[in-house]
Amino acid sequence: MGKLGRFACIFTPMALTIVSLVSLIIVGTGGTNKSSHVSNSLYFFRANTSDIHANSSILNLPKNALTDALLKDAGTIASKELGIYDFYHVSLWNYCAGSYGKNSSGGTTENVTYCSPREKQFWFNPVDVWHLNNSVTDQYFSTELKDGLKAYKTTAKWMYIAYIVAVISTAAEILVGISALFSRLGSLATTIVSTVSSIFTIAFALTATILYATLTGSFNHALKQYNIHGKLGRDIYVWTWLAVAFSWAAGIFWLFSSCCCSGRSDRIKGYNDRKGGGSYQPMPTPMPGYQQPQPYGHEASYGQQNGVMMGNVGARQTSYEPFRHEHV
């Protein structure tokens, strides 16, 4: 296998690594542009607060149609006064919010009108975002939800770090992978970098999936009485797990290229495709100018016929078969 074969062997893991990096970058674009439909569809978690209101049992009020209607109207007024949007999309760097609308066919559309500033190690704090950080509203938040938000804050920081390391190591994998074109040692170095990249990529994916699945469950359980519902996104998880799949596939092919696909041709390695593999082969007999050995006593006439002095050649009763050498 020559250089062309080596290039073909490296092309596959290199292409997989590039696709993995692109997938990670797409994940990071979520919530970065409120005017982009693609960006707005990339969120881990969505909170629906369009119909927020308090349950009558929370305030120890009798449950009837009048009470429920009053509480619903009060919730609507409070939402407007507090500036609470209809929905909130939680992405990697920030959150975006907006209102629901109707399209021409009567379906519901999401109109994103605000995106918060991007932050490192971002986590969504509903108490601050919904302006509920006072002693009156805080007492209605369950201990389960408060503990869940604390755990969410800590885990979200680790998720952010895992994402950054995954992106950097994947980019480094592409750069180091160029050296794999020239030797299997380069493939080995790339395999090591690829292992780091794959570990942090799947760590990020697992953390994000488990974290926001847990957060969704906590929201739906603790805030159901306020008619607040949480839901997982879709597109961002597709791109996240595609990055994982391509990253691990690339790692396998990098490992394969480090033990195979040397890039050295057979001629350089000393192999010969010709029949015989470089061994001695007998010359065809008779050779031009070759005469069968004469009986003893006729050496002189043989020498005279060929114009050379044979010396004591005739003293031998047998002859050796000439061989030719094949160059390797």
Side-chain angles (χ1 to χ4, degrees), residues 123 125-133:
W123 69 288
N125 186 353
V127 176
D128 291 341
V129 173
W130 297 338
H131 310 289
L132 303 177
N133 45 352

Side-chain angles (χ1 to χ4, degrees), residues 220-288:
N220 291 333
H221 181 265
L223 300 179
K224 181 180 180 180
Q225 55 192 351
Y226 301 103
N227 207 32
I228 298 176
H229 305 286
K231 183 180 180 180
L232 287 175
R234 184 193 64 181
D235 295 357
I236 198 168
Y237 292 104
V238 172
W239 287 108
T240 298
W241 285 102
L242 279 177
V244 173
F246 285 120
S247 179
W248 281 90
I252 294 174
F253 278 100
W254 284 125
L255 180 62
F256 174 78
S257 67
S258 65
C259 60
C260 307
C261 307
S262 68
R264 299 175 62 191
S265 66
D266 291 343
R267 184 174 297 276
I268 294 176
K269 291 186 291 186
Y271 295 103
N272 199 318
D273 293 331
R274 292 178 296 180
K275 184 178 179 180
S279 60
Y280 287 99
Q281 297 183 17
M283 296 291 291
T285 303
M287 291 179 59

Side-chain angles (χ1 to χ4, degrees), residues 121-318:
Q121 302 179 9
F122 168 78
W123 69 288
F124 181 73
N125 186 353
V127 176
D128 291 341
V129 173
W130 297 338
H131 310 289
L132 303 177
N133 45 352
N134 60 71
S135 58
V136 177
T137 55
D138 185 65
Q139 63 180 325
Y140 295 109
F141 278 77
S142 65
T143 303
E144 178 186 359
L145 181 60
K146 293 177 183 178
D147 294 340
L149 289 175
K150 291 180 181 178
Y152 163 53
K153 178 181 180 180
T154 303
T155 311
K157 292 181 178 180
W158 152 249
M159 185 189 74
Y160 172 83
I161 294 173
Y163 173 80
I164 295 299
V165 175
V167 171
I168 294 175
S169 57
T170 304
E173 182 180 344
I174 295 175
L175 297 177
V176 178
I178 297 176
S179 65
L181 289 170
F182 308 104
S183 68
R184 285 184 290 184
L185 185 61
S187 291
L188 180 60
T190 310
T191 302
I192 296 174
V193 179
S194 177
T195 302
V196 176
S197 171
S198 298
I199 290 175
F200 278 93
T201 301
I202 195 172
F204 164 71
L206 284 174
T207 304
T209 304
I210 296 173
L211 172 64
Y212 284 103
T214 304
L215 183 65
T216 300
S218 298
F219 260 67
N220 291 333
H221 181 265
L223 300 179
K224 181 180 180 180
Q225 55 192 351
Y226 301 103
N227 207 32
I228 298 176
H229 305 286
K231 183 180 180 180
L232 287 175
R234 184 193 64 181
D235 295 357
I236 198 168
Y237 292 104
V238 172
W239 287 108
T240 298
W241 285 102
L242 279 177
V244 173
F246 285 120
S247 179
W248 281 90
I252 294 174
F253 278 100
W254 284 125
L255 180 62
F256 174 78
S257 67
S258 65
C259 60
C260 307
C261 307
S262 68
R264 299 175 62 191
S265 66
D266 291 343
R267 184 174 297 276
I268 294 176
K269 291 186 291 186
Y271 295 103
N272 199 318
D273 293 331
R274 292 178 296 180
K275 184 178 179 180
S279 60
Y280 287 99
Q281 297 183 17
M283 296 291 291
T285 303
M287 291 179 59
Y290 175 81
Q291 296 184 6
Q292 295 294 335
Q294 300 295 323
Y296 183 77
H298 294 273
E299 303 85 19
S301 61
Y302 176 80
Q304 291 172 355
Q305 293 174 6
N306 290 277
V308 295
M309 297 300 294
M310 297 300 296
N312 294 325
V313 173
R316 299 174 181 265
Q317 295 294 328
T318 60

